Amino acid sequence: MVQVASLFNQLLQHFPRAEFAALVKKHGAEHAAKGFTCWTQFVSMLFCQLGRADSLREICNGLACCLGRLVHLGILKAPCRSTLSYANEHRPAALFEELFWTASARFRQQQALGGRKHKFRFNNKFLSLDSTTISLCLTLFPWAKFRRAKGGVKAHVLLDHDDYLPAYVLLTEAKRSDVKLADSFALNPGSIVAMDRGYTDYALFGRWTMAGIFFVTRLKDNAAYAVLEEFPVPANRGILADQIIRLTGTRAQSDCPCLLRRVVVWDADNQREIVLLTNLLTFGATTIAAIYKERWQIELFFENSTWCTPLDVMEFRGSIALNRLLVGSLDGSVRPRIARHPFCVESRERPHRPASLATVLAESAARQWSG
């Protein structure tokens, strides 16, 4: 095979052909195939993501303009729209799901995705839990309404701080409560979870403490508690108070009877006090403050990541839904509604229209990637 040092080819080198062929054979993905290989399908859909193509026409035309340069990608010619559509509809999505997990495990073992920016002395698994809302058009998705003139779905994310990639993602309707889905994530004993006040649930804290799972969050202003012990605070570390407390609210006492820790930290940047609540009784107060500060990485992850566009949601139909390399699973109440939603009239008519500006841009991007 001819090797060309294009950006696209360098990216594809992270997916060994022998490993890919073994997965194709395992899942029988090319059974009764007549020339259109799974590798060509994979390259086409990867180009769809990199070139931000939003139709089959843009994918196929973008690859077709690079004829003569596709051989170094492992394909001989650009696919036809009908061929690619049929493959997305009928080939097993489990192939691409296993490909994702295989590549993810390899990258994490090689630390190719980067390591933890903040080095802690503890060896516990460190995770952050938060959610973000993905806006959707109410005209296309009336079931997604959660405000008067706004619709969307919500992505609940458990971020692994070893490499700042999601350990789990759960998509639900946007009106679903964050704290009610906190039990949906499987956590191992010894894990440390950092989260904001939106996940305050004393019954949840009690269950986690009994299971050996640690948490660091902010204490609500109206929380009722009694101070049982005061610890000396380190000098010049921004720690104002370090206390062992017990919740005194009638419901809180029964839900979370265990001892907790209250740490007050001075935020010099915003000139305010931050009151933290945790069940980590043996860690230093400065370490607890650093754990909560590291939680900001999940906010940066939301800011820098492209999760899901309305077009992505429209393509969650049948098997093509699972061909999207999403980590985690779709909530049972969202998946059937998305799968039943038909394409809008504009989407059905689009392949018969003249090439749009987006098509031209996709073809230009294809030349850049293959050049």
Side-chain angles (χ1 to χ4, degrees):
M1 180 185 300
V2 180
Q3 296 292 333
V4 180
S6 69
L7 294 177
F8 205 173
N9 181 59
Q10 292 178 49
L11 178 62
L12 290 173
Q13 296 306 310
H14 293 290
F15 302 92
R17 293 295 298 274
E19 177 183 276
F20 188 87
L23 293 177
V24 172
K25 184 177 181 180
K26 175 182 177 180
H27 294 277
E30 293 183 359
H31 176 69
K34 298 180 180 179
F36 185 71
T37 64
C38 289
W39 180 258
T40 303
Q41 181 188 7
F42 173 64
V43 172
S44 301
M45 299 310 296
L46 189 59
F47 170 79
C48 171
Q49 297 289 339
L50 297 175
R52 296 184 179 274
D54 56 6
S55 69
L56 291 174
R57 167 173 287 190
E58 292 182 17
I59 297 173
C60 299
N61 288 357
L63 291 173
C65 73
C66 300
L67 289 179
R69 301 179 182 180
L70 298 180
V71 65
H72 70 278
L73 303 179
I75 61 179
L76 299 178
K77 63 178 182 178
C80 299
R81 296 195 303 272
S82 58
T83 304
L84 181 59
S85 176
Y86 186 87
N88 287 338
E89 183 69 24
H90 293 89
R91 286 186 176 172
L95 163 65
F96 299 99
E97 181 180 358
E98 188 169 351
L99 175 65
F100 171 82
W101 290 116
T102 301
S104 176
R106 183 172 64 254
F107 291 157
R108 284 179 163 169
Q109 289 175 358
Q110 300 172 353
Q111 293 188 344
L113 302 172
R116 182 185 294 176
K117 298 177 183 178
H118 193 291
K119 298 297 182 181
F120 294 98
R121 294 182 180 179
F122 57 82
N123 295 322
N124 304 62
K125 173 63 72 174
F126 182 24
L127 305 162
S128 290
L129 179 60
D130 207 346
S131 66
T132 185
T133 302
I134 303 167
S135 298
L136 295 177
C137 177
L138 281 177
T139 304
L140 296 175
F141 307 100
W143 54 265
K145 182 178 181 180
F146 73 105
R147 291 183 182 174
R148 185 176 63 85
K150 188 176 181 180
V153 294
K154 184 179 288 187
H156 305 264
V157 180
L158 191 65
L159 187 72
D160 189 339
H161 283 248
D162 287 343
D163 47 24
Y164 301 109
L165 280 181
Y168 197 88
V169 175
L170 179 65
L171 293 181
T172 67
E173 292 171 312
K175 59 185 178 182
R176 295 288 291 275
S177 172
D178 293 348
V179 67
K180 291 182 179 179
L181 292 171
D183 276 332
S184 301
F185 303 97
L187 300 174
N188 295 323
S191 300
I192 299 176
V193 184
M195 52 196 175
D196 59 18
R197 280 185 291 196
Y199 290 90
T200 298
D201 182 356
Y202 296 135
L204 174 67
F205 295 162
R207 291 193 298 270
W208 278 358
T209 302
M210 294 297 294
I213 299 169
F214 303 105
F215 65 88
V216 178
T217 185
R218 293 181 64 180
L219 183 65
K220 285 193 171 182
D221 297 334
N222 60 352
Y225 61 90
V227 178
L228 304 181
E229 185 178 355
E230 289 268 2
F231 294 115
V233 297
N236 303 322
R237 296 295 183 89
I239 306 299
L240 303 182
D242 187 4
Q243 307 166 334
I244 297 295
I245 66 171
R246 186 186 299 276
L247 299 174
T248 58
T250 305
R251 181 71 178 272
Q253 273 187 322
S254 59
D255 290 342
C256 186
C258 51
L259 297 179
L260 298 175
R261 192 171 177 184
R262 177 179 180 267
V263 178
V264 182
V265 184
W266 177 251
D267 181 6
D269 295 335
N270 299 308
Q271 296 294 304
R272 61 173 181 171
E273 291 183 358
I274 298 178
V275 184
L276 303 179
L277 180 69
T278 179
N279 59 351
L280 288 167
L281 304 182
T282 59
F283 282 30
T286 53
T287 301
I288 293 174
I291 288 174
Y292 189 78
K293 184 177 181 180
E294 181 72 359
R295 190 201 72 85
W296 186 250
Q297 293 298 327
I298 195 170
E299 304 290 350
L300 298 178
F301 178 78
F302 289 148
E303 180 180 351
N304 298 326
S305 300
T306 301
W307 279 97
C308 183
T309 64
L311 180 72
D312 293 325
V313 178
M314 289 176 65
E315 291 183 354
F316 285 148
R317 298 177 62 195
S319 62
I320 194 173
L322 301 178
N323 283 333
R324 289 282 177 176
L325 301 183
L326 287 175
V327 187
S329 66
L330 290 172
D331 182 72
S333 63
V334 176
R335 182 193 294 270
R337 300 185 184 184
I338 294 176
R340 290 196 301 266
H341 196 285
F343 282 123
C344 61
V345 176
E346 289 77 8
S347 297
R348 290 197 299 268
E349 293 179 352
R350 184 168 187 171
H352 304 288
R353 294 178 178 177
S356 62
L357 176 60
T359 303
V360 176
L361 293 177
E363 295 177 357
S364 177
R367 295 189 184 94
Q368 178 184 355
W369 276 96
S370 60

